[in-house]
Amino acid sequence: MTAEEIFAGESDNVEFKEEIPVKSERYMKTVVAFANGRGGKLIFGVENNTWKVTGFSKEEVFQKMDAITNAIFDSCEPKIIPSIGVQEVDGKSIIEVEIMSGMTRPYYIKSQGLLDGTYVRVSGTTRHAERYQVQELILEGQNRYYDCEPCEGLAVTSEDIAILCSNMKAMALRNTLTDAEKAKVKDLTQNVLISWGVLIEKDGAAVPTNAYALLTGQAHEQPIIQCAVFKGTDRAYFVDRREFEGSIQDQMEAAFQYVQEKINRGMKIQGMYRQDVYELPLDSVRELIANSVAHRSYLESGNIQIALFDDRLEVTSPGMLLNGVSIAKMKEGYSKIRNRAIANAFSYMKIIEKWGSGIPRIIRECNEYGLPEPEFFDFDGDFRVNMYRKAAPNTNLEMMKEDSAQFGNPAQSGTARMPDQEIAIVGFVKSNGSCTTSQVAELLLVKDRRARVILGSLVKKNILKKSGNARNTMYLAGEQFPE
């Protein structure tokens, strides 16, 4: 067989190594990342990127296979048993190591410990797992849900439970159109909330879970939804911005109303009646926002961000897709619940409908509206959906460039060739004399880690310079700061 025949159609979950590293930890990170994710293959004896086969001699190949198997078995916790074999390519022997998706996550490098030795795959690369990802892997490996775990330090009374039940029923009735459907909305009870995981029973008493805290706006770090309207197709210039607090269901409704107010509206006449017609299908907009709230990771401290640009509506929620879920599967209607209690509560309140049906319905409604199919991105710890307001350019990942580390245009004279986000930062420093990471994150509606990447780019170009210590860093005008 040739290299082209063997590797044709391989996905991001394949990694090539020309040689077997002397230090096994150099490839063990990828091994545990594959086990923590959807599985994958390590191919030894092939140059990365070029696919040039270097191979091994028949005399040494089986000795190397044994060394790889032993290293994986001895280095990883829980134990990982690879499937390992030899293939002949262009007359040379290569070693193929297949790692299956594990059932007892998280897997980690034993010598580094659980927190430091856990790795995951992100966009075809191996990365150190953040703390929230380790926590998610622990819960997933035990078939538990974060929102069903007890909320520490929060107490609940029977009156509190009755108020939540009443509020949830009121929202369910508001979201129901016909009298016949309203009649089917049943009263909520403490036992129902327990069955959903909103409450748990301990020693005969009701104990609130994280879902209860989120549904009542009492979480220790209650997330918010950040909304903004931008001029143009990037985040350089704000037109308007809002932040919505309170219970997650109230935030969802408020964010939807905000978008509805900001998008264009026309009308058509049917007989004697006028009917409002919006540029985007409202049911799909609502579904996008509802899904972002119901399926986000609440272990990550970030917030949902909803951005309206001239050409698109962009909804970004914290947390990558769960193991076993892909964008292709989602388009076919496949769903996997991340927050069981919240999904149950949202379904009762008519915020989300049948699990898994939302994405195909959104795609269908956009098609009926004559709009491009929405784009879905699973990237860098977040999940994003772009719903286009008009014919979209050939973007693929281009629309996400302002959120990545790829800032290649040098600022040669003034700000003429600087990326728009950098221009916005320069304008802020001109007005205020300096900036901090948190100020830039708030200015651009990005996370702190993204703000640090952009600021680092400006420092490398000598447009900005650092001042202060690691805990109190300020960014001031540098030698190349535009006049």
Side-chain angles (χ1 to χ4, degrees), residues 236-360:
Y237 302 105
F238 283 103
V239 176
D240 186 57
R241 61 190 299 179
R242 291 281 301 278
E243 293 185 349
F244 298 105
E245 303 176 342
S247 69
I248 55 174
Q249 62 271 32
D250 287 342
Q251 290 181 33
M252 192 286 301
E253 293 288 356
F256 169 66
Q257 292 297 326
Y258 179 87
V259 174
Q260 185 176 351
E261 292 171 2
K262 298 301 180 182
I263 61 177
N264 297 322
R265 181 180 67 176
M267 69 173 182
K268 65 180 180 180
I269 305 297
Q270 290 187 333
M272 298 177 62
Y273 301 98
R274 188 189 80 171
Q275 180 180 356
D276 289 334
V277 179
Y278 290 86
E279 61 171 313
L280 296 175
L282 290 184
D283 287 346
S284 292
V285 171
R286 192 172 189 274
E287 184 90 33
L288 278 184
I289 298 172
N291 282 343
S292 71
V293 177
H295 301 303
R296 64 156 288 175
S297 170
Y298 285 99
L299 280 164
E300 187 180 357
S301 58
N303 295 309
I304 293 170
Q305 295 181 346
I306 301 173
L308 190 64
F309 300 91
D310 286 354
D311 67 334
R312 71 194 186 279
L313 171 68
E314 183 182 278
V315 180
T316 307
S317 54
M320 298 183 297
L321 293 179
L322 293 172
N323 286 319
V325 181
S326 67
I327 291 172
K329 285 183 177 181
M330 289 173 58
K331 290 182 177 181
E332 296 296 325
Y334 178 79
S335 178
K336 189 175 181 181
I337 301 301
R338 175 181 257 125
N339 304 299
R340 183 175 71 88
I342 291 172
N344 278 313
F346 272 36
S347 179
Y348 170 83
M349 290 186 286
K350 315 298 181 186
I351 295 174
I352 58 174
E353 296 185 11
K354 296 178 180 177
W355 300 341
S357 64
I359 298 302

Side-chain angles (χ1 to χ4, degrees), residues 406-419 422-423 457-458 460-463 480 482:
Q406 307 302 318
F407 295 104
N409 293 335
Q412 294 182 345
S413 60
T415 60
R417 297 186 59 194
M418 291 173 61
E422 294 185 0
I423 293 172
S457 174
L458 288 168
K460 287 181 180 178
K461 298 172 185 177
N462 291 324
I463 295 172
Q480 300 298 320

